[in-house]
Amino acid sequence: MEPRRLTLNDLDACTKLAEDRQWPPERHKWTLLFEVGEVYGVDAADGDGLAATNVLTRYGDDHAVVSMVLTASRYGRQGLARGLMEHVLDQASGRVVSLHATENGRPLYERLGFRTVGRVAKHTGVFKGRPSDRTRPATVEDLDAVLALDAEVFGTDRSPLLRRMFSFGERVRVAEGGFGHCWRNDGNVVIGPVVTQDERTARALIGDLALDVGGEVRLDLDLAKESLVGWAGEHGIGDPWPVSLMVRDGELPGDRTRQFLPFMQALG
């Protein structure tokens, strides 16, 4: 079973594979990944859809993120995940590669040379609070400043992704020295990225975005940012589900102390 580059024509097969592994279908997220990343898969030998997938998203010349690493339950433990990972690592062309790993996946990634550099946990809930009066809706005129700040903090150019925020997402807000975005996934709204100069501004952006959209929101919080995690819990966002942030072939670029939420765990 040889890897191939997938296209949007394979979207239904991708969502079917996700549901086979008890993941949500996330069609909106998959569609974005097809636009900004390289989606790879292995066709099932029995002719029923896909046996495995993953996605490589490149940023500039020095960083790439791997995501959506899935293997059909009937093809588990046959080496497909490892073979497809080796394929995309070859495609990464010497870049520093990062990913988020569950406990089940972490041993495989360690064998492939990844190391854990942090812990991130999904937190969900309905935000309880009041508007900050410190943020405002973003306009296209804010985009240049947003891209410049993100490149400084993230450490490489991800403008092809961020230029899609206004069409992909629900809201984009800005504040002095920062910006935030949120997008609707299956069953909730994911807040991120949130990039700011300080935590106080990050809290304002997160709270205002959550109040804008209402209902359940999701925050993928860096567990090292203990005060932000505590603040989220005090405002109704809890029930954490942790994963490991792992890196291969170097260090994460940029200044991650000022990235308070990722775009999504799949994209950094």
Side-chain angles (χ1 to χ4, degrees):
M1 292 187 282
E2 292 296 321
R4 68 177 175 90
R5 179 83 176 265
L6 303 183
T7 72
L8 268 176
N9 292 331
D10 298 295
L11 177 60
D12 288 343
C14 291
T15 59
K16 180 181 178 181
L17 175 58
E19 291 175 314
D20 172 69
R21 299 314 306 251
Q22 287 75 55
W23 283 28
E26 299 186 304
R27 291 183 70 87
H28 190 41
K29 177 178 174 180
W30 275 106
T31 301
L32 178 69
L33 290 168
F34 274 106
E35 290 179 7
V36 302
E38 301 162 27
V39 184
Y40 294 96
V42 174
D43 293 308
D46 59 13
D48 184 14
L50 294 166
T53 61
N54 62 24
V55 180
L56 178 73
T57 306
R58 305 171 193 249
Y59 296 122
D61 297 323
D62 51 4
H63 188 202
V65 177
V66 175
S67 61
M68 310 308 270
V69 180
L70 290 165
T71 302
S73 54
R74 66 190 185 280
Y75 288 107
R77 300 188 180 280
Q78 295 184 30
L80 287 179
R82 180 175 186 129
L84 202 50
M85 279 295 300
E86 289 173 340
H87 178 74
V88 299
L89 291 174
D90 286 343
Q91 303 304 308
S93 304
R95 290 172 170 83
V96 175
V97 180
S98 63
L99 55 77
H100 288 90
T102 65
E103 285 305 295
N104 286 337
R106 187 164 56 85
L108 167 63
Y109 305 133
E110 289 175 341
R111 290 193 293 273
L112 290 169
F114 286 86
R115 58 189 174 83
T116 298
V117 296
R119 296 278 284 169
V120 176
K122 176 185 76 174
H123 292 68
T124 56
V126 177
F127 183 81
K128 301 173 183 176
R130 295 182 178 182
S132 72
D133 297 323
R134 298 185 64 238
T135 78
R136 63 171 174 81
T139 69
V140 292
E141 285 74 24
D142 295 304
L143 188 55
D144 286 346
V146 164
L147 295 179
L149 175 61
D150 188 78
E152 177 187 343
V153 171
F154 197 74
T156 192
D157 176 24
R158 56 177 184 172
S159 58
L161 172 65
L162 296 186
R163 289 182 186 279
R164 289 170 166 81
M165 287 192 301
F166 291 94
S167 58
F168 174 77
E170 292 284 305
R171 300 284 192 281
V172 183
R173 297 190 73 91
V174 293
E176 184 67 32
F179 72 93
H181 164 263
C182 63
W183 58 280
R184 190 168 297 278
N185 201 19
D186 299 342
N188 59 32
V189 172
V190 183
I191 298 179
V194 172
V195 175
T196 77
Q197 301 295 342
D198 57 74
E199 185 176 315
R200 180 169 176 263
T201 307
R203 293 182 181 188
L205 286 163
I206 293 168
D208 288 352
L209 287 166
L211 292 170
D212 273 354
V213 296
E216 184 175 274
V217 298
R218 168 178 166 177
L219 311 180
D220 294 332
L221 291 165
D222 180 349
L223 294 181
K225 293 181 167 64
E226 295 180 359
S227 60
L228 186 63
V229 173
W231 172 85
E234 292 166 1
H235 289 78
I237 314 297
D239 192 24
W241 184 70
V243 294
S244 298
L245 173 59
M246 305 188 76
V247 177
R248 182 181 188 266
D249 290 336
E251 304 292 337
L252 285 172
D255 177 10
R256 299 310 172 98
T257 64
R258 291 184 284 161
Q259 178 176 284
F260 289 87
L261 290 174
F263 197 112
M264 57 179 77
Q265 285 188 2
L267 291 172

